[in-house]
Coordinates of all heavy atoms in Angstrom, one line a residue:
M1 N 115.1 100.0 96.4 CA 115.7 98.7 96.2 C 116.8 98.6 97.3 O 117.8 99.1 97.1 CB 116.3 98.5 94.9 CG 117.1 97.3 94.6 SD 117.6 97.1 92.9 CE 118.0 98.7 92.3
P2 N 116.4 98.0 98.3 CA 117.4 97.7 99.4 C 118.6 96.9 99.0 O 118.5 96.0 98.2 CB 116.8 97.1 100.4 CG 115.2 97.1 100.3 CD 115.2 97.5 98.6
R3 N 119.8 97.2 99.5 CA 121.0 96.5 99.1 C 121.4 96.5 97.7 O 122.4 96.0 97.3 CB 120.8 95.0 99.6 CG 120.7 94.8 101.0 CD 120.4 93.5 101.4 NE 119.3 92.9 100.7 CZ 117.9 93.1 101.1 NH1 117.6 93.9 102.2 NH2 116.9 92.5 100.5
L4 N 120.6 97.3 96.9 CA 120.9 97.5 95.4 C 121.4 96.2 94.7 O 122.2 96.2 93.9 CB 122.1 98.5 95.3 CG 121.9 99.8 95.9 CD1 123.1 100.8 95.8 CD2 120.7 100.5 95.3
D5 N 120.7 95.1 95.0 CA 120.8 93.8 94.4 C 119.8 93.4 93.4 O 119.8 92.1 93.1 CB 121.0 92.9 95.5 CG 120.0 92.6 96.4 OD1 119.0 93.3 96.2 OD2 120.0 91.7 97.3
R6 N 118.9 94.4 93.1 CA 117.8 94.0 92.1 C 116.8 93.0 92.5 O 116.1 92.4 91.7 CB 118.3 93.7 90.7 CG 119.3 94.7 90.2 CD 119.8 94.5 88.9 NE 119.1 95.3 88.0 CZ 119.2 95.3 86.6 NH1 119.7 94.2 86.1 NH2 118.5 96.1 85.9
T7 N 116.7 92.8 93.9 CA 115.8 91.8 94.4 C 114.5 92.5 94.8 O 113.5 91.7 95.2 CB 116.4 90.9 95.6 OG1 116.6 91.9 96.7 CG2 117.6 90.3 95.2
G8 N 114.3 93.7 94.8 CA 113.1 94.4 95.1 C 112.9 94.5 96.8 O 113.8 94.1 97.6
P9 N 111.7 94.8 97.1 CA 111.5 95.0 98.6 C 111.5 93.5 99.3 O 110.8 92.7 98.7 CB 110.0 95.7 98.6 CG 109.8 96.2 97.2 CD 110.7 95.5 96.4
M10 N 112.1 93.5 100.3 CA 112.0 92.2 101.1 C 112.5 91.0 100.3 O 112.0 89.8 100.4 CB 110.8 92.1 101.7 CG 110.4 93.2 102.7 SD 109.0 93.2 103.7 CE 107.9 92.0 103.1
G11 N 113.4 91.3 99.2 CA 113.9 90.1 98.5 C 112.9 89.4 97.6 O 113.1 88.3 97.2
Q12 N 111.8 90.1 97.3 CA 110.7 89.4 96.5 C 110.8 89.3 95.0 O 110.2 88.7 94.3 CB 109.3 90.0 96.8 CG 108.9 90.0 98.2 CD 107.6 90.7 98.5 OE1 107.4 91.6 97.7 NE2 107.0 90.5 99.5
G13 N 111.9 90.0 94.5 CA 112.3 90.0 93.0 C 112.0 91.3 92.4 O 111.6 92.2 93.0
P14 N 112.6 91.4 91.1 CA 112.4 92.8 90.6 C 111.0 93.1 90.2 O 110.1 92.3 90.1 CB 113.2 92.5 89.1 CG 113.2 91.1 89.0 CD 113.1 90.4 90.3
R15 N 110.8 94.4 90.0 CA 109.5 94.9 89.8 C 108.3 94.7 90.8 O 107.3 94.4 90.4 CB 109.0 94.7 88.4 CG 109.9 95.3 87.3 CD 109.2 95.3 86.0 NE 109.6 94.3 85.2 CZ 109.1 94.0 84.0 NH1 108.3 94.8 83.5 NH2 109.5 93.0 83.4
T16 N 108.7 94.4 92.1 CA 107.6 94.1 93.0 C 107.5 95.2 94.0 O 106.6 95.1 94.8 CB 108.1 92.9 93.9 OG1 109.4 93.2 94.5 CG2 108.2 91.6 93.1
G17 N 108.2 96.4 93.7 CA 107.9 97.6 94.7 C 107.1 98.6 93.9 O 106.3 98.4 93.0
R18 N 107.1 99.8 94.4 CA 106.3 100.9 94.0 C 106.9 101.7 92.9 O 106.4 102.6 92.5 CB 105.8 101.8 95.1 CG 105.0 101.1 96.2 CD 104.7 101.9 97.3 NE 105.8 102.6 97.9 CZ 105.8 103.8 98.3 NH1 104.8 104.6 98.3 NH2 107.0 104.2 98.9
G19 N 108.1 101.4 92.5 CA 108.9 102.1 91.5 C 109.4 103.5 92.0 O 109.5 104.4 91.2
M20 N 109.6 103.4 93.2 CA 110.2 104.7 93.8 C 111.7 104.9 94.0 O 112.3 105.8 94.2 CB 109.5 104.9 95.2 CG 108.0 104.9 95.2 SD 107.3 106.3 94.1 CE 107.9 107.8 95.1
G21 N 112.4 103.7 93.7 CA 113.8 103.7 93.8 C 114.5 104.0 92.6 O 113.9 104.2 91.5
N22 N 115.9 104.0 92.6 CA 116.7 104.2 91.4 C 116.9 102.9 90.9 O 117.7 101.9 91.4 CB 118.2 104.7 91.9 CG 119.0 105.0 90.7 OD1 118.6 105.0 89.7 ND2 120.2 105.4 91.0
C23 N 116.3 102.5 89.8 CA 116.2 101.2 89.3 C 117.1 101.3 87.9 O 116.5 101.6 86.8 CB 114.9 100.7 89.0 SG 114.6 99.2 88.5
P24 N 118.3 100.9 87.9 CA 119.1 100.9 86.7 C 118.6 100.2 85.6 O 118.7 100.5 84.4 CB 120.5 100.5 87.1 CG 120.4 99.9 88.5 CD 119.0 100.3 89.1
G25 N 117.9 99.1 85.8 CA 117.4 98.3 84.8 C 116.0 98.5 84.4 O 115.4 97.8 83.8
G26 N 115.4 99.5 85.1 CA 113.9 99.9 85.0 C 113.6 100.7 83.8 O 114.4 100.8 82.9
M27 N 112.5 101.1 83.7 CA 111.8 101.8 82.7 C 111.9 103.2 82.7 O 111.5 103.9 81.9 CB 110.5 101.4 82.3 CG 110.4 99.8 82.0 SD 108.8 99.2 81.7 CE 107.8 100.2 82.6
G28 N 112.4 103.8 83.9 CA 112.4 105.3 84.0 C 113.8 105.7 84.2 O 114.9 105.0 84.1
F29 N 114.0 107.0 84.5 CA 115.2 107.7 84.8 C 115.3 108.0 86.2 O 114.4 108.8 86.7 CB 115.4 108.8 83.8 CG 115.5 108.3 82.4 CD1 114.3 108.6 81.7 CD2 116.6 107.8 81.9 CE1 114.2 108.1 80.4 CE2 116.5 107.5 80.5 CZ 115.3 107.6 79.8
G30 N 116.4 107.8 86.9 CA 116.6 108.5 88.2 C 115.7 107.9 89.2 O 115.3 106.7 89.2
W31 N 115.3 108.7 90.2 CA 114.6 108.2 91.4 C 113.1 108.3 91.1 O 112.6 109.3 90.7 CB 114.8 109.0 92.5 CG 116.3 108.9 93.0 CD1 117.3 109.7 92.5 CD2 116.9 107.8 93.8 NE1 118.4 109.1 93.1 CE2 118.2 108.1 93.8 CE3 116.2 106.7 94.4 CZ2 119.0 107.2 94.5 CZ3 117.2 105.9 95.1 CH2 118.4 106.1 95.2
G32 N 112.4 107.2 91.2 CA 111.0 107.1 90.9 C 110.7 107.1 89.4 O 111.5 107.5 88.5
R33 N 109.5 106.5 89.0 CA 109.3 106.4 87.6 C 108.0 106.9 87.3 O 107.5 106.7 86.2 CB 109.2 104.9 87.2 CG 110.7 104.3 87.3 CD 110.6 102.8 86.8 NE 110.2 102.1 88.1 CZ 110.2 100.7 88.1 NH1 110.2 100.2 87.0 NH2 109.8 100.2 89.2
G34 N 107.5 107.8 88.2 CA 106.3 108.5 87.9 C 105.0 108.1 88.5 O 104.7 106.9 88.5
F35 N 104.4 108.8 89.4 CA 103.2 108.7 90.0 C 103.2 107.3 90.9 O 102.1 106.6 91.3 CB 102.0 108.4 88.9 CG 101.9 109.7 88.0 CD1 102.1 109.5 86.8 CD2 101.5 110.9 88.7 CE1 102.1 110.7 86.0 CE2 101.3 111.9 87.8 CZ 101.5 111.8 86.5
G36 N 104.5 106.8 91.3 CA 104.6 105.5 92.1 C 104.1 104.3 91.4 O 103.9 103.4 92.1
R37 N 103.8 104.3 90.1 CA 103.3 103.0 89.5 C 104.2 102.5 88.6 O 104.0 101.5 88.0 CB 102.0 103.4 88.8 CG 100.8 103.8 89.8 CD 100.6 102.5 90.6 NE 99.7 103.0 91.7 CZ 99.9 102.7 93.0 NH1 101.0 102.0 93.3 NH2 99.1 103.0 94.0
G38 N 105.5 103.2 88.2 CA 106.4 102.6 87.4 C 106.2 102.8 85.9 O 107.0 102.3 85.0
F39 N 105.3 103.7 85.6 CA 105.0 103.9 84.1 C 105.5 105.4 83.6 O 105.9 105.5 82.6 CB 103.5 103.9 83.8 CG 103.1 102.4 84.2 CD1 102.1 102.2 85.1 CD2 103.5 101.2 83.4 CE1 101.7 101.1 85.5 CE2 103.1 99.9 83.9 CZ 102.3 99.8 84.8
G40 N 105.3 106.3 84.6 CA 105.9 107.7 84.2 C 105.3 108.3 83.0 O 106.0 109.1 82.2
G41 N 104.1 107.9 82.5 CA 103.5 108.4 81.4 C 104.0 107.8 80.1 O 103.7 108.2 79.0
R42 N 104.9 106.9 80.1 CA 105.5 106.4 79.0 C 104.9 104.9 78.8 O 104.6 104.3 79.7 CB 107.1 106.3 79.2 CG 107.6 107.7 79.3 CD 108.9 107.7 80.0 NE 110.0 106.9 79.2 CZ 111.1 107.5 78.8 NH1 111.4 108.5 79.3 NH2 111.8 106.7 78.1
N43 N 104.8 104.5 77.4 CA 104.1 103.4 77.3 C 105.1 102.4 76.7 O 105.2 102.1 75.4 CB 102.9 103.5 76.3 CG 102.0 102.3 76.3 OD1 102.3 101.4 77.0 ND2 101.1 102.3 75.3
F44 N 105.9 101.7 77.5 CA 106.8 100.7 77.0 C 106.2 99.2 77.0 O 106.8 98.3 76.6 CB 108.1 100.7 77.8 CG 109.1 102.0 77.5 CD1 109.2 102.8 78.5 CD2 109.4 102.1 76.1 CE1 110.1 103.9 78.4 CE2 110.2 103.3 76.0 CZ 110.5 104.2 76.9
L45 N 105.1 99.2 77.7 CA 104.6 97.8 77.9 C 103.4 97.5 77.0 O 102.7 98.5 76.7 CB 104.0 97.7 79.5 CG 105.1 97.9 80.5 CD1 104.3 97.9 81.8 CD2 106.0 96.9 80.5
T46 N 103.2 96.3 76.7 CA 101.9 95.9 75.9 C 100.9 95.9 77.1 O 101.0 95.9 78.2 CB 102.0 94.6 75.3 OG1 102.2 93.6 76.4 CG2 103.3 94.3 74.5
K47 N 99.7 95.9 76.5 CA 98.5 95.8 77.4 C 98.5 94.6 78.2 O 98.2 94.7 79.5 CB 97.2 95.9 76.7 CG 96.9 97.4 76.0 CD 95.5 97.4 75.3 CE 95.4 98.7 74.6 NZ 94.0 98.8 74.0
K48 N 99.0 93.5 77.8 CA 99.0 92.3 78.5 C 100.0 92.3 79.7 O 99.8 92.0 80.9 CB 99.2 91.2 77.5 CG 99.4 89.9 78.3 CD 99.7 88.5 77.4 CE 99.7 87.3 78.2 NZ 100.2 86.2 77.3
E49 N 101.2 93.0 79.3 CA 102.2 93.1 80.3 C 101.8 94.0 81.3 O 102.1 93.9 82.5 CB 103.5 93.6 79.5 CG 104.2 92.6 78.8 CD 105.3 93.2 77.8 OE1 105.3 94.5 77.6 OE2 106.3 92.4 77.5
E50 N 101.2 95.1 81.0 CA 100.7 96.1 82.0 C 99.7 95.5 82.9 O 99.8 95.7 84.2 CB 100.2 97.4 81.3 CG 99.8 98.4 82.2 CD 99.3 99.7 81.6 OE1 99.2 99.8 80.4 OE2 98.7 100.6 82.3
S51 N 98.7 94.7 82.3 CA 97.8 94.1 83.2 C 98.4 93.0 84.1 O 98.0 93.0 85.3 CB 96.8 93.4 82.3 OG 95.9 92.6 83.2
E52 N 99.3 92.3 83.7 CA 100.1 91.4 84.6 C 100.8 92.0 85.6 O 100.8 91.7 86.9 CB 101.1 90.5 83.8 CG 100.3 89.5 82.9 CD 101.3 88.8 82.0 OE1 102.4 88.9 82.1 OE2 100.8 88.0 81.1
L53 N 101.4 93.1 85.3 CA 102.3 94.0 86.3 C 101.4 94.7 87.5 O 101.6 94.5 88.6 CB 102.9 95.0 85.6 CG 103.8 96.0 86.4 CD1 105.1 95.1 87.0 CD2 104.4 97.2 85.6
L54 N 100.1 95.2 86.9 CA 99.2 95.6 87.8 C 98.6 94.6 88.6 O 98.3 94.9 90.0 CB 98.1 96.4 87.0 CG 98.5 97.7 86.5 CD1 97.5 98.3 85.5 CD2 99.0 98.7 87.5
K55 N 98.4 93.5 88.2 CA 97.7 92.3 89.0 C 98.7 92.0 90.0 O 98.4 91.7 91.2 CB 97.4 91.1 88.2 CG 96.1 91.5 87.4 CD 95.8 90.3 86.4 CE 94.7 90.5 85.6 NZ 94.4 89.5 84.5
D56 N 100.1 91.9 89.7 CA 101.0 91.6 90.6 C 101.2 92.5 91.7 O 101.4 92.3 92.9 CB 102.4 91.4 89.9 CG 102.6 90.2 89.1 OD1 101.9 89.2 89.3 OD2 103.5 90.1 88.3
E57 N 101.2 93.8 91.3 CA 101.2 95.0 92.3 C 100.0 95.0 93.1 O 100.2 95.2 94.5 CB 101.2 96.4 91.6 CG 101.3 97.5 92.5 CD 101.6 98.9 91.8 OE1 101.7 98.7 90.6 OE2 101.6 99.7 92.6
K58 N 98.8 94.7 92.7 CA 97.7 94.5 93.6 C 97.7 93.4 94.6 O 97.4 93.5 95.7 CB 96.4 94.2 92.8 CG 95.1 94.1 93.5 CD 93.9 93.6 92.5 CE 94.0 92.1 92.2 NZ 93.4 91.1 93.1
D59 N 98.3 92.2 94.1 CA 98.6 91.1 95.2 C 99.6 91.5 96.2 O 99.2 91.3 97.3 CB 99.1 89.9 94.3 CG 98.0 89.3 93.4 OD1 96.8 89.6 93.6 OD2 98.4 88.6 92.5
A60 N 100.5 92.2 95.8 CA 101.6 92.6 96.7 C 101.0 93.6 97.7 O 101.2 93.5 98.9 CB 102.8 93.2 96.1
L61 N 100.2 94.6 97.3 CA 99.4 95.5 98.1 C 98.5 94.9 99.1 O 98.5 95.2 100.3 CB 98.9 96.7 97.4 CG 99.9 97.5 96.6 CD1 98.9 98.5 95.7 CD2 100.5 98.4 97.7
E62 N 97.8 93.8 98.6 CA 96.9 93.1 99.5 C 97.6 92.4 100.6 O 97.1 92.4 101.7 CB 96.1 92.0 98.7 CG 94.9 92.9 97.8 CD 94.3 92.0 96.9 OE1 94.7 90.8 96.6 OE2 93.2 92.3 96.3
E63 N 98.8 91.8 100.2 CA 99.6 91.1 101.3 C 100.1 92.1 102.2 O 100.1 91.7 103.5 CB 100.7 90.3 100.6 CG 100.4 89.1 99.8 CD 101.6 88.4 99.3 OE1 102.5 88.4 99.9 OE2 101.3 87.9 98.2
E64 N 100.6 93.3 101.8 CA 101.0 94.3 102.7 C 99.9 94.8 103.7 O 100.0 94.9 104.9 CB 101.6 95.4 102.0 CG 102.2 96.5 102.7 CD 103.0 97.6 102.0 OE1 103.0 97.5 100.8 OE2 103.4 98.5 102.6
L65 N 98.7 94.9 103.1 CA 97.5 95.4 103.9 C 97.3 94.3 105.0 O 96.9 94.5 106.0 CB 96.4 95.7 103.1 CG 95.1 96.1 103.8 CD1 95.2 97.5 104.6 CD2 94.0 96.5 102.7
K66 N 97.3 93.1 104.5 CA 97.0 92.1 105.4 C 98.0 91.9 106.6 O 97.6 91.8 107.8 CB 97.1 90.6 104.7 CG 96.8 89.4 105.6 CD 97.0 88.1 104.9 CE 96.9 87.0 105.8 NZ 97.2 85.7 105.1
A67 N 99.3 92.2 106.3 CA 100.3 92.2 107.4 C 100.1 93.4 108.3 O 100.3 93.3 109.5 CB 101.6 92.3 106.8
I68 N 99.6 94.6 107.8 CA 99.4 95.7 108.6 C 98.2 95.4 109.3 O 98.3 95.8 110.8 CB 99.1 97.0 107.7 CG1 100.4 97.5 107.0 CG2 98.6 98.1 108.5 CD1 100.3 98.5 105.9
K69 N 97.1 94.9 109.0 CA 96.0 94.5 109.9 C 96.4 93.7 110.9 O 96.0 93.8 112.1 CB 94.8 94.0 108.9 CG 94.2 95.1 108.1 CD 93.1 94.4 107.2 CE 92.4 95.4 106.3 NZ 91.3 94.9 105.6
E70 N 97.2 92.5 110.6 CA 97.7 91.7 111.7 C 98.4 92.4 112.8 O 98.2 92.0 113.9 CB 98.5 90.4 111.1 CG 97.6 89.5 110.2 CD 98.4 88.5 109.4 OE1 99.7 88.5 109.6 OE2 97.8 87.7 108.7
R71 N 99.3 93.3 112.4 CA 100.2 93.9 113.3 C 99.3 94.8 114.2 O 99.5 95.0 115.4 CB 101.2 94.8 112.6 CG 102.2 95.5 113.5 CD 103.0 94.6 114.3 NE 103.9 95.4 115.3 CZ 104.1 95.0 116.5 NH1 103.7 93.8 117.0 NH2 104.9 95.7 117.1
I72 N 98.2 95.5 113.6 CA 97.4 96.3 114.4 C 96.7 95.4 115.4 O 96.4 95.9 116.6 CB 96.4 97.0 113.6 CG1 97.2 98.2 112.6 CG2 95.2 97.8 114.3 CD1 96.3 98.9 111.7
S73 N 96.2 94.3 115.0 CA 95.5 93.4 115.8 C 96.6 93.1 117.0 O 95.9 93.0 118.2 CB 95.0 92.2 115.2 OG 93.9 92.4 114.2
E74 N 97.7 92.7 116.8 CA 98.7 92.3 117.8 C 98.8 93.5 118.8 O 98.8 93.2 120.1 CB 100.1 92.1 117.1 CG 100.1 90.6 116.3 CD 101.2 90.6 115.5 OE1 102.2 91.3 115.9 OE2 101.5 89.6 114.8
L75 N 98.9 94.8 118.3 CA 99.2 95.7 119.2 C 97.9 96.1 120.0 O 98.0 96.5 121.1 CB 99.6 97.0 118.3 CG 100.9 96.9 117.7 CD1 101.2 98.2 116.7 CD2 102.0 97.0 118.6
D76 N 96.8 96.0 119.4 CA 95.6 96.2 120.2 C 95.3 95.1 121.3 O 94.7 95.5 122.3 CB 94.2 96.2 119.2 CG 94.3 97.7 118.4 OD1 95.0 98.4 118.7 OD2 93.6 97.5 117.4
A77 N 95.7 93.9 121.1 CA 95.6 92.9 122.1 C 96.5 93.0 123.1 O 96.2 92.6 124.2 CB 95.9 91.4 121.3
K78 N 97.6 93.8 123.1 CA 98.5 94.0 124.3 C 97.9 95.1 125.3 O 97.2 95.8 125.2 CB 99.8 94.5 123.9 CG 100.4 93.4 123.0 CD 101.8 93.9 122.6 CE 102.5 92.6 121.9 NZ 103.9 93.0 121.4

């Protein structure tokens, strides 16, 4: 969580990252919440909440992959 302002990576809002930071309002303790997915083997979420969280994470990863592919294309074009 850059700037420790609870906005997540690149200011996208809470719970938009990989769960690797020290998240005082999060569901884990200390640094990281387990397996980089934010659950740490603990089940505080309902199935619906977990599904929504995973879908949001999937969307964020797809956007990140798209940005990476675009950057690779830019670099290869030079």
Side-chain angles (χ1 to χ4, degrees):
M1 175 172 38
R3 298 173 301 281
L4 300 175
D5 60 0
R6 303 183 109 189
T7 61
M10 301 185 339
Q12 295 175 342
R15 291 201 270 179
T16 57
R18 297 181 301 143
M20 300 302 290
N22 183 11
C23 187
M27 299 181 325
F29 299 99
W31 296 94
R33 292 180 273 175
F35 306 111
R37 297 288 171 235
F39 304 109
R42 299 160 62 128
N43 192 11
F44 290 120
L45 302 174
T46 66
K47 288 182 180 184
K48 181 179 179 184
E49 290 171 332
E50 183 178 356
S51 177
E52 290 174 8
L53 185 65
L54 289 172
K55 287 175 186 175
D56 289 344
E57 185 174 355
K58 179 186 79 83
D59 293 342
L61 289 171
E62 287 173 346
E63 287 182 31
E64 187 175 354
L65 181 59
K66 179 182 174 187
I68 289 170
K69 288 179 178 181
E70 288 174 0
R71 182 63 180 146
I72 290 171
S73 294
E74 290 172 7
L75 293 171
D76 288 345
K78 291 182 181 182

